[in-house]
Amino acid sequence: FLIVSPVGLRTLLEKRRGKRKRNQSSDNSDSDSDDGTNNDNGSSSIADFLSSIESVYIDQLDVLSMQNLDHLFYILENLN
């Protein structure tokens, strides 16, 4: 089971993607760096994790509807 807030998961995804973009831009300037390869594998683990989710159960949608639903839609768009 995974119990997660849409806002927390979106924040984590955006942080990881930001790190990946920074690492890719630094890798382009220094192609012999081994650190970029290790960090890229770590940042792609979140995307791999989301793609492995097979079913989603959204509980208390009435509470979520009072919040910004854009966070929930963002998470659902990034799932397979």
Side-chain angles (χ1 to χ4, degrees):
F1 285 101
L2 174 69
I3 300 174
V4 65
S5 161
V7 176
L9 189 56
R10 182 175 183 170
T11 303
L12 182 63
L13 280 173
E14 289 176 348
K15 264 188 206 178
R16 296 286 184 161
R17 287 186 178 157
K19 284 182 182 179
R20 185 183 324 166
K21 285 180 183 178
R22 283 192 302 262
N23 288 338
Q24 286 176 354
S25 65
S26 68
D27 286 346
N28 289 341
S29 63
D30 184 23
S31 60
D32 294 334
S33 175
D34 290 335
D35 294 334
T37 305
N38 294 337
N39 288 339
D40 189 32
N41 290 338
S43 64
S44 65
S45 65
I46 292 297
D48 294 341
F49 169 73
L50 283 179
S51 66
S52 69
I53 294 176
E54 294 181 9
S55 63
V56 175
Y57 178 76
I58 302 172
D59 191 26
Q60 299 180 354
L61 189 58
D62 58 334
V63 175
L64 287 175
S65 68
M66 292 183 253
Q67 299 173 7
N68 189 353
L69 287 177
D70 186 43
H71 301 300
L72 179 63
F73 294 145
Y74 179 82
I75 298 303
L76 293 175
E77 288 173 358
N78 285 296
L79 294 173
N80 281 338

